Amino acid sequence: QAQLVESGGGLVQPGGSLRLSCAASGIIFSSFFNSFTLYWYRQAPGKQRELVAAINSAASPNYADSVKGRFTISRDNAKRTASLQMNSLKPEDTAVYYCNVDATQFEYIGSPLRKNYWGQGTQVTVSS
């Protein structure tokens, strides 16, 4: 009914770049992808999950202070994907990155489907 799959993670050197993608599929996203705000989170070892970036239905982005000026979130509604372009990567960017859709308050789908949807995560390692 709904699935998010991240890709694009890998090992890069400090100062390098990486582009993550999140592909949405299933009935819910086929019908309503354009309506959802899309989120990228990350979780580093020993740290709590943190919000990295978000982009709403109008394609207006928001970023955590730690990534402003370096990361760019985008969406392609035709392809039903969310992307995160990461430039000037730092070792502290090392984490598992997850995409997320919060459908807990989305009234156009049945109650059992109103929940958070998460991808499986993709590992980003920034190291020399």
Side-chain angles (χ1 to χ4, degrees), residues 86-107:
M86 305 183 295
N87 299 325
S88 302
L89 283 162
K90 305 174 181 179
E92 50 262 46
D93 295 318
T94 296
V96 178
Y97 284 71
Y98 301 89
C99 64
N100 163 260
V101 172
D102 179 8
T104 58
Q105 307 299 316
F106 195 67
E107 62 185 353

Side-chain angles (χ1 to χ4, degrees), residues 8-97:
L11 174 64
V12 296
Q13 294 186 334
S17 297
L18 206 60
R19 185 176 180 88
L20 307 182
S21 294
C22 174
S25 62
I27 295 174
I28 293 175
F29 295 131
S30 294
S31 299
F32 301 111
F33 182 84
N34 296 7
S35 299
F36 290 114
T37 294
L38 311 174
Y39 301 88
W40 283 99
Y41 286 82
R42 68 186 181 188
Q43 187 164 24
K47 300 183 68 176
Q48 293 187 345
R49 182 179 60 188
E50 65 173 340
L51 178 63
V52 176
I55 185 166
N56 67 11
S57 60
S60 178
N62 286 283
Y63 302 96
D65 288 341
S66 59
V67 307
K68 284 182 178 177
R70 300 188 298 120
F71 289 12
T72 302
I73 188 172
S74 61
R75 66 189 298 156
D76 187 331
N77 290 335
K79 297 181 179 179
R80 291 189 286 274
T81 59
S83 297
L84 187 68
Q85 178 66 46
M86 305 183 295
N87 299 325
S88 302
L89 283 162
K90 305 174 181 179
E92 50 262 46
D93 295 318
T94 296
V96 178
Y97 284 71

